[in-house]
């Protein structure tokens, strides 16, 4: 499978991966997260784990379980870590602890290297018996709600290292090594590989979207951090100038109990706005995502909080001009005015939507530069190499 990437990244880059992996052969590695599908973490692991196995590293992936109460707690953690505010009490922490104990009793954790992804399973570190443990944080923790961070920090400090997506997420109140590894996309996946214009148009028509009229797309969970209401507001402003269409495509995830509520809020915000298509599709709707990104004239990711935003790189890889929220890991991907545009308000988003839709040559130039930026920085092979390097540094340290 890895050999297929040679024509995209070149033989030298592939050789570098094999050389590092040679030093790690025979190790046992475990990844643990909170959902088997839906969201960027599961998507990355579904590619990263097979690649590590192909390189001779015995790698497994386990998913923790929990009830609605637990995932409501972890969603509140997620929000308060990113937003700097929250409402938690001792009972909240007790629910978290209970499910750490349950999962620790059910998941074998006896590996040479253990990667724990995000806050949901972070407390498993308390049962470590051997190996190097690395906490991989996929969200913005630069300005967390202190009460939740202090609770979580007592676990994080016990790890051998932490991985963050951007240097701006680094923490001065931790003494463990902190590595920066931006997430990545798989250019050969169903979601990102080349598909025909015929397929794109067929799927657009299936969902009653006109392929001959200007189309704006945002692919995101229905999550307040993705600012779906702001997307609707920006589109309202656009409709005063250009007869465009909007597709907001999201999928449910088992660890996000707020999704349906936010979807209903978005439906209400879109009432009376012509040509808005709000789609809630299954998490494995990769071909549909591919088609809506390729069929779009402009892609949005108007997040107000974002660890990275894989959909930004996905659209850029497809040579689309992207308007992204000026937050978290999005500025790593969008160089303002060169590979896309960064915005802070719906009004700014409206401005750049109009600008790009009225200037085809500019958005095509931005799209081409965006693709090269992704090729050089945000493909799965680069992330694989980075993980191997962190493992090597950890076991040698």
């Amino acid at each position: 499978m890895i050999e297929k990437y040679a024509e995209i990244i070149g033989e030298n880059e592939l050789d570098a991966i094999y050389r590092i992996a040679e030093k790690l052969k025979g190790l046992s590695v475990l990844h643990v997260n909170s959902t088997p599908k839906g969201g960027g973490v599961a998507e990355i692991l579904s590619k990263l784990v097979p690649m590590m196995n192909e390189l001779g590293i015995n790698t497994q992936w386990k998913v923790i379980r929990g009830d609605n109460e637990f995932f409501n707690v972890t969603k509140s953690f997620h929000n308060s870590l990113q937003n700097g505010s929250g409402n938690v009490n001792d009972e909240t922490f007790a629910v978290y602890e209970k499910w750490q104990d349950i999962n620790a009793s059910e998941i074998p954790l006896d590996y040479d290297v253990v990667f724990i992804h995000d806050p949901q399973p972070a407390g498993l570190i308390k049962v470590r018996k051997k190996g190097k443990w690395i906490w991989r944080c996929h969200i913005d923790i630069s300005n967390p709600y202190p009460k939740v961070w202090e609770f979580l920090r007592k676990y994080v400090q016990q790890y051998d290292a932490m991985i963050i997506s951007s240097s701006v997420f680094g923490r001065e109140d931790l003494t463990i090594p902190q590595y920066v590894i931006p997430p990545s996309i798989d250019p050969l996946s169903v979601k990102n590989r080349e598909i025909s214009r015929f397929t794109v148009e067929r799927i657009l028509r299936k969902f009653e979207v006109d392929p001959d009229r200007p189309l704006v797309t945002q692919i995101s969970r229905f999550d307040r951090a993705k600012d779906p209401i702001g997307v609707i507001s920006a589109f309202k402003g656009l409709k005063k100038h250009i007869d465009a269409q909007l597709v907001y495509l999201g999928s449910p995830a088992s660890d996000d109990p707020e999704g349906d509520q936010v979807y209903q809020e978005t439906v209400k915000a879109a009432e009376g706005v012509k040509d808005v298509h709000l789609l809630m599709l299954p998490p494995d709707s990769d071909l549909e995502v591919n088609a809506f990104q390729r069929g779009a004239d402009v892609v949005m990711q108007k997040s107000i909080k974002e660890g990275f935003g894989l959909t930004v790189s996905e659209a850029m890889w497809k040579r689309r001009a992207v308007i992204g929220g000026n937050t978290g890991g999005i500025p790593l991907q969008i160089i303002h005015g060169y590979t896309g545009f960064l915005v802070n308000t719906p009004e700014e988003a409206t401005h750049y939507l109009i600008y790009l839709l009225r200037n085809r040559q500019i958005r095509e130039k931005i799209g081409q530069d965006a693709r090269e930026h992704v090729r050089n920085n945000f493909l799965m092979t680069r992330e694989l190499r980075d993980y191997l390097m962190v493992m090597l540094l950890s076991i040698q340290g």
Side-chain angles (χ1 to χ4, degrees):
M1 181 172 71
I2 296 176
E3 294 294 335
K4 294 180 180 177
Y5 294 89
E7 63 182 49
I8 299 173
I9 63 172
E11 291 290 347
N12 289 339
E13 180 67 16
L14 210 55
D15 283 348
I17 291 171
Y18 275 102
R19 286 174 185 272
I20 302 170
E22 189 67 26
K23 301 177 186 297
L24 300 168
K25 274 189 175 177
L27 281 182
S28 61
V29 177
L30 176 66
H31 290 270
V32 180
N33 79 318
S34 60
T35 180
K37 55 186 176 181
V41 179
E43 184 174 330
I44 289 171
L45 290 178
S46 70
K47 303 296 181 182
L48 194 64
V49 171
M51 283 180 165
M52 287 185 172
N53 279 304
E54 187 176 338
L55 292 170
I57 305 166
N58 178 22
T59 309
Q60 296 192 33
W61 172 17
K62 303 291 184 184
V63 177
I64 61 168
R65 67 183 185 93
D67 58 9
N68 288 339
E69 185 180 33
F70 172 68
F71 285 119
N72 277 317
V73 164
T74 56
K75 182 65 179 182
S76 73
F77 280 18
H78 179 99
N79 291 341
S80 61
L81 289 168
Q82 291 209 125
N83 300 333
S85 61
N87 181 23
V88 295
N89 52 37
D90 290 345
E91 185 178 345
T92 303
F93 296 135
V95 170
Y96 182 87
E97 298 276 17
K98 181 184 79 173
W99 280 99
Q100 302 304 303
D101 294 338
I102 292 172
N103 282 291
S105 68
E106 297 177 348
I107 299 176
L109 297 167
D110 192 17
Y111 289 77
D112 296 320
V113 181
V114 177
F115 289 98
I116 300 292
H117 294 261
D118 277 335
Q120 296 95 328
L124 293 176
I125 184 70
K126 64 183 178 181
V127 299
R128 168 165 69 169
K129 294 178 182 175
K130 60 166 280 191
K132 298 294 184 180
W133 283 54
I134 299 164
W135 188 54
R136 202 314 179 205
C137 180
H138 294 268
I139 63 175
D140 181 351
I141 54 170
S142 59
N143 183 34
Y145 178 49
K147 190 171 182 179
V148 171
W149 173 244
E150 282 307 310
F151 173 78
L152 194 64
R153 191 174 73 87
K154 71 181 182 184
Y155 290 126
V156 175
Q157 186 59 50
Q158 297 177 48
Y159 283 77
D160 296 293
M162 177 173 79
I163 298 173
I164 48 181
S165 297
S166 168
S167 59
V168 299
F169 301 161
R171 298 292 314 177
E172 293 185 355
D173 55 357
L174 294 173
T175 59
I176 60 175
Q178 300 177 44
Y179 301 106
V180 177
I181 300 182
S184 62
I185 64 166
D186 179 6
L188 302 181
S189 69
V190 173
K191 186 184 287 187
N192 295 312
R193 71 191 184 195
E194 294 288 340
I195 56 175
S196 69
R197 182 66 197 176
F198 176 82
T199 302
V200 171
E201 293 187 0
R202 177 178 60 79
I203 291 174
L204 262 59
R205 288 195 174 94
K206 176 181 175 182
F207 292 94
E208 300 181 345
V209 175
D210 184 353
D212 297 321
R213 291 170 54 208
L215 175 62
V216 177
T217 297
Q218 174 155 321
I219 311 290
S220 288
R221 287 190 191 187
F222 286 91
D223 183 322
R224 296 186 185 93
K226 316 296 184 186
D227 198 19
I229 306 300
V231 173
I232 299 297
S233 178
F235 183 71
K236 284 182 181 177
L238 172 66
K239 285 291 279 185
K240 296 175 183 176
H241 302 272
I242 296 175
D243 185 24
Q245 308 164 93
L246 171 69
V247 169
Y248 190 119
L249 192 165
S251 299
S254 58
D255 63 346
D256 185 4
E258 286 184 342
D260 186 62
Q261 180 183 350
V262 177
Y263 173 76
Q264 296 302 331
E265 293 170 2
T266 311
V267 170
K268 187 173 183 180
E271 283 180 358
V273 185
K274 190 178 177 184
D275 293 318
V276 174
H277 302 262
L278 302 178
L279 307 179
M280 180 72 91
L281 300 185
D284 56 355
S285 303
D286 291 349
L287 183 60
E288 286 78 6
V289 169
N290 192 338
F292 278 113
Q293 288 174 330
R294 291 185 188 278
D297 296 283
V298 179
V299 173
M300 294 182 69
Q301 185 59 55
K302 218 206 81 52
S303 302
I304 51 179
K305 284 289 180 180
E306 188 68 74
F308 184 75
L310 288 179
T311 54
V312 174
S313 283
E314 290 168 5
M316 291 168 69
W317 180 246
K318 300 175 179 80
R319 298 184 179 86
R320 292 296 174 270
V322 181
I323 298 171
N326 187 18
T327 184
I330 294 179
L332 291 176
Q333 303 165 82
I334 295 178
I335 303 170
H336 186 72
Y338 177 64
T339 65
F341 291 103
L342 296 169
V343 298
N344 294 291
T345 66
E347 291 76 20
E348 289 180 11
T350 298
H351 169 77
Y352 286 114
L353 282 170
I354 295 170
Y355 175 70
L356 287 168
L357 288 174
R358 285 180 172 170
N359 294 279
R360 179 172 183 170
Q361 286 187 334
I362 290 174
R363 70 173 188 264
E364 287 181 349
K365 174 67 167 62
I366 286 175
Q368 187 59 44
D369 291 338
R371 180 177 171 94
E372 291 309 305
H373 188 50
V374 172
R375 185 197 306 276
N376 294 328
N377 297 283
F378 304 118
L379 295 186
M380 181 63 69
T381 41
R382 191 274 307 149
E383 186 168 12
L384 170 64
R385 185 191 61 196
D386 288 351
Y387 266 85
L388 298 180
M389 283 302 301
V390 167
M391 290 167 58
L392 193 59
L393 290 169
S394 297
I395 63 173
Q396 289 179 342

